[in-house]
Amino acid sequence: MQLFIHRPLSLPFSQRKREKMEGRRKALLFTLCFFFFSLPSLSSLPAFQTLIPTSHSLPSASPTSFQPESEPVSESLFESGSDSESSITLNLDHIDALSTNRTPEELFGSRLQRDSRRVESIATLAARIPRRNTTHAPRPGGFSSSVVSGLSQGSGEYFTRLGVGTPARYVYMVLDTGSDIVWLQCAPCRRCYSQSDPIFDPRKSRTYSTIRCSSPLCRRLDSAGCNTRRRTCLYQVSYGDGSFTVGDFATETLTFRRNRVKGVAVGCGHDNEGLFVGAAGLLGLGKGRLSFPGQTGRRFNQKFSYCLVDRSASSKPSSVVFGNAAVSRTAKFTPLLSNPKLDTFYYVELLGISVGGTRVPGVAASLFKLDQIGNGGVIIDSGTSVTRLVRPAYIAMRDAFRVGARSLKRAPDYSLFDTCFDLSHQNEVKVPTVVLHFRGADVSLPATNYLIPVDTNGKFCFAFAGTMSGLSIIGNIQQQGFRVVYDLMGSRVGFAPRGCA
């Protein structure tokens, strides 16, 4: 028997040498790639940026940016559910503009007090509300109990001016992404708080119409009552700070500059109490079906955006845009998440935070997770001022910032801020950069969005805070200067830097 041994053909020496060298080059390339990708992306995330303290101070109560109005002429008229799409742009002012004879320090202190009450109430609302049903049968004869719904603190922070009724009566209305209802004070008033304009009287409007108890609109209310004598729908909204509004649920025409939107469901409040700071009522911008975007979705293509200016450094007005023009081409988008038990708030996924060009190791995505039953998570909120992070994430981020800012002179704590600096007599300082990493969108904050003046003597504080609640909130100080885009049709939120121009 013959034994055959198979031997591979030998490659020429020069070819073996080339292949060996090629293998070494690939191995070296792989090692270098692994090394650089394992490093923090310092090239894309700068470690420091410049803050000019002398150009930023506490804002004072300046007059509003709104001009006297007259009833518009030759404007288009749209149903709230019309398929026609257009865009509307409105100026926004901060609620402090309605306060008089108060110092900048007093205004800022009041803002932080409102902020703490709001955050506490939002956390309570998010933790306790059960899953909503699609419809609710109205209670005969009115209301049997207080119901917490929508916005968790009544005052809000930004307002606009719009017309209500026909002929249009112009009033200030707070805009808020944490509310699912539109309402205003109405005559006759059983109890009404003080507002800047005359109280709206529905008896003088040609387009005011009450809603029947049997109407689907009435059943959409979280808490619906029924006037048994007139068979008309009643609404009630109670807020976490004890504020409330109660009255008739009706449809009315709202006028935005030269555009009218008719058939908007509004609460006409005859019994109102609370911290509403001079505005006539509230234009809810939440995700619910009875908010203004929810009712006018087809009219404005389910899109709106706002840009809030830094009032300490700019005299330009803030603005809100409804319609396709609301979407900035420079915006970076992150998907919206759904909370199974609460559809009011805008939930997003925060994956991490960088300070000084480096991801903070203690700020893990798991700390911000929205679980299957609706607990935890992160929301974008126009009415909260200071961003709140769950305590472990805040401590890790704060400590990283302190390390990066160790060359700055420390100052005593102030209110809820535990990291403050004395920047008096400083013309320019270098501060660590801060980047919020949302899924699909890295948002690099200007220095003025996280190191803010708290008095008129040069004290600046790190404008983040911790919360013992499982819910984190991205506040409006951190949103300043960005056009924040709410694209409900695309189920996403976007951030466009330098968006207030």
Side-chain angles (χ1 to χ4, degrees), residues 267-278:
C268 199
H270 300 289
D271 192 352
N272 318 280
E273 284 192 2
L275 305 174
F276 298 112
V277 195

Side-chain angles (χ1 to χ4, degrees), residues 36-92:
F36 283 113
F37 279 111
S38 65
L39 288 174
S41 54
L42 298 178
S43 60
S44 61
L45 297 179
F48 294 94
Q49 60 181 321
T50 301
L51 175 72
I52 303 176
T54 52
S55 67
H56 292 79
S57 59
L58 280 179
S60 58
S62 57
T64 72
S65 62
F66 299 103
Q67 302 297 319
E69 308 89 350
S70 59
E71 185 178 359
V73 294
S74 66
E75 71 285 351
S76 300
L77 188 64
F78 295 91
E79 295 279 0
S80 63
S82 170
D83 287 326
S84 301
E85 190 281 327
S86 67
S87 296
I88 294 174
T89 301
L90 303 172
N91 284 351
L92 295 176

Side-chain angles (χ1 to χ4, degrees), residues 108 111-112 115-116 118-120 122 157 306 308 348 350 352-353 363 368 377-391 393-395 397-398 416-418 434-438 443 445-446 448-452 461-469 471-480 482 484 495:
F108 188 66
R111 183 181 185 184
L112 293 182
D115 206 47
S116 295
R118 179 183 179 90
V119 168
E120 182 179 354
I122 285 179
E157 289 295 307
Y306 55 73
L308 310 176
V348 292
L350 183 61
I353 297 173
V363 183
F368 306 114
V378 180
I379 65 171
I380 306 289
D381 184 43
S382 66
T384 298
S385 291
V386 178
T387 289
R388 302 309 204 280
L389 301 175
V390 290
R391 190 76 182 162
Y394 170 70
I395 291 174
M397 178 194 187
R398 177 205 64 189
L416 76 166
F417 302 127
D418 62 7
V434 174
V435 180
L436 305 180
H437 300 288
F438 298 100
V443 179
L445 300 180
T448 51
N449 285 30
Y450 55 86
L451 206 56
I452 65 171
C461 293
F462 189 53
F464 286 81
T467 177
M468 299 306 292
S469 158
L471 178 68
S472 297
I473 306 172
I474 307 299
N476 58 49
I477 290 176
Q478 282 64 47
Q479 298 175 46
Q480 286 176 169
F482 290 90
V484 184
F495 302 90

